[in-house]
Amino acid sequence: MRNLISLTQFGGVYHEGSSTMADRPLALVTGASTGIGYELAVQSAKNGFDLIIAADEPAINEAARQIQSLGSSVVPVQADLATLAGVDQLLDAVGARPVDALLANAGRGLGKGFLDQNFDDILHVINTNITGTVYLAHQIAKTMRARRSGRILFTGSIAGFIPGTFQAVYNGTKAFINSFSFALRAELKDTGVTVTCLMPGATETEFFERADMLDTKIGQSEKDDPADVAKVGFEAMMKGEGDVVTGWKNKVQATVANILPAGMLAEQHRRKAEPGYSEKSKSRR
Ligand SMILES: NC(=O)c1ccc[n+]([C@@H]2O[C@H](COP(=O)([O-])OP(=O)(O)OC[C@H]3O[C@@H](n4cnc5c(N)ncnc54)[C@H](OP(=O)(O)O)[C@@H]3O)[C@@H](O)[C@H]2O)c1
């Protein structure tokens, strides 16, 4: 019955204070149709949160159906979070209900050389990863600060520590998110609102296919399990930790990135992200 009520609420019949929606904490998870975001939503459901989940494609509705089977009320919102109007659509779905946890995870990559990328795609990456994320955080964090309670998790990346040759714009957006997350955390110190940055390394999701990076070494390499990554991130958020790099190999990479000169890191990244990689070309690199 709860599931039916939730889907009805998505249709706009949500009444503030209804017993199904008001008694449990609410998590808002963006980019929850697949990958790390889907698993963050699963973690939220398993830990007693009701959910509003968002993504750009209709697959978000199927994700909601699956997550509801874990016993949470889940409201799917299909909106392009690269636009302020799309973020407003998500905020409308939240309405007046307090958000206890914001998991701002939606993001996309973009491979190939900067000058060979389409500028609309470049803008879409910047607007999804930065503009929409920052606008959503601005709106939700204000209400958290006023209530003196809330948790925010940003999905940054260890890519934010490394100049991303053949993924230059994406890595730049993640450098922004990593930095922004630490700064916001410091600003909100003593307000009852915690800010955590989840910084995964390469993870087995649809990310590399969507970024047109399947012909790269990193696109073809073995990657981390998104369920493991999300669990580590969710737990760090619940503990109110500042940041978490998932997996020991990524921890080493993040540490090395703080020591090596940027030019050297950029050359290392070329080897991982340069297009045209295949088993055949492996011996030449
Ligand atoms: N995979 C990795 O190696 C890796 C490593 C470090 C950090 N990350 C970060 O992890 C986050 C999740 O990525 P993932 O690896 O799980 O990739 P993914 O499987 O491609 O998931 C991306 C999610 O974001 C949503 N999304 C993308 N653009 C959107 C937009 N404009 N509006 C609304 N939703 C949008 C997608 O939904 P639609 O399909 O509906 O657009 C999808 O739900 C991203 O921020 C990414 O930068 C990934």
Side-chain angles (χ1 to χ4, degrees):
M1 190 60 188
R2 165 183 283 167
N3 293 354
L4 286 177
I5 289 167
S6 300
L7 288 174
T8 314
Q9 284 158 344
F10 176 51
V13 196
Y14 162 58
H15 298 291
E16 198 189 339
S18 82
S19 60
T20 50
M21 287 292 276
D23 297 343
R24 290 157 54 100
L26 179 68
L28 177 54
V29 187
T30 68
S33 58
T34 57
I36 298 169
Y38 175 83
E39 297 295 345
L40 285 170
V42 165
Q43 283 297 319
S44 305
K46 284 183 176 167
N47 285 279
F49 284 85
D50 281 343
L51 283 143
I52 297 178
I53 61 173
D56 196 18
E57 304 287 336
I60 194 67
N61 299 310
E62 179 51 32
R65 268 187 285 278
Q66 287 173 16
I67 297 163
Q68 273 177 353
S69 67
L70 298 170
S72 292
S73 161
V74 185
V75 176
V77 176
Q78 189 187 335
D80 181 0
L81 301 177
T83 66
L84 299 189
V87 176
D88 281 337
Q89 199 185 322
L90 177 56
L91 292 167
D92 285 348
V94 174
R97 191 173 176 202
V99 175
D100 299 282
L102 167 63
L103 296 88
N105 164 83
R108 55 181 63 236
L110 187 61
K112 308 283 184 269
F114 172 63
L115 296 181
D116 299 321
Q117 293 168 344
N118 176 308
F119 196 70
D120 286 343
D121 294 341
I122 291 172
L123 266 188
H124 198 243
V125 168
I126 295 171
N127 287 336
T128 301
N129 299 6
I130 299 181
T131 315
T133 301
V134 169
Y135 178 45
L136 181 63
H138 196 245
Q139 299 298 306
I140 299 290
K142 258 191 238 171
T143 65
M144 287 178 169
R145 184 178 63 178
R147 294 197 328 272
R148 299 196 64 78
S149 164
R151 300 172 194 282
I152 300 174
L153 180 73
F154 291 107
T155 306
S157 174
I158 62 165
F161 299 131
I162 303 165
T165 313
F166 294 107
Q167 210 183 2
V169 171
Y170 172 75
N171 283 35
T173 65
K174 289 295 155 175
F176 179 99
I177 292 297
N178 292 355
S179 167
F180 175 73
S181 180
F182 282 111
L184 184 61
R185 175 180 177 80
E187 285 188 24
L188 294 180
K189 192 174 146 197
D190 303 328
T191 65
V193 182
T194 60
V195 182
T196 303
C197 191
L198 167 61
M199 294 183 282
T203 306
E204 197 58 66
T205 68
E206 297 180 16
F207 177 91
F208 292 94
E209 189 179 348
R210 287 176 177 168
D212 196 10
M213 291 183 70
L214 293 182
D215 65 339
T216 63
K217 185 174 183 191
I218 194 161
Q220 293 177 25
S221 67
E222 200 181 317
K223 302 181 191 61
D224 296 335
D225 180 342
D228 295 342
V229 169
K231 187 165 187 295
V232 170
F234 183 85
E235 285 170 359
M237 178 190 77
M238 294 308 285
K239 286 187 207 149
E241 289 172 357
D243 62 295
V244 62
V245 174
T246 53
W248 69 267
K249 279 188 195 160
N250 300 324
K251 284 189 172 71
V252 171
Q253 263 201 73
T255 308
V256 168
N258 281 321
I259 301 165
L260 287 186
M264 203 179 274
L265 292 170
E267 277 308 318
Q268 281 185 358
H269 202 279
R270 168 197 295 281
R271 289 197 284 277
K272 286 197 239 169
E274 189 163 15
Y277 180 86
S278 67
E279 281 302 310
K280 249 192 203 165
S281 63
K282 205 167 156 183
S283 55
R284 298 203 298 274
R285 290 171 193 241

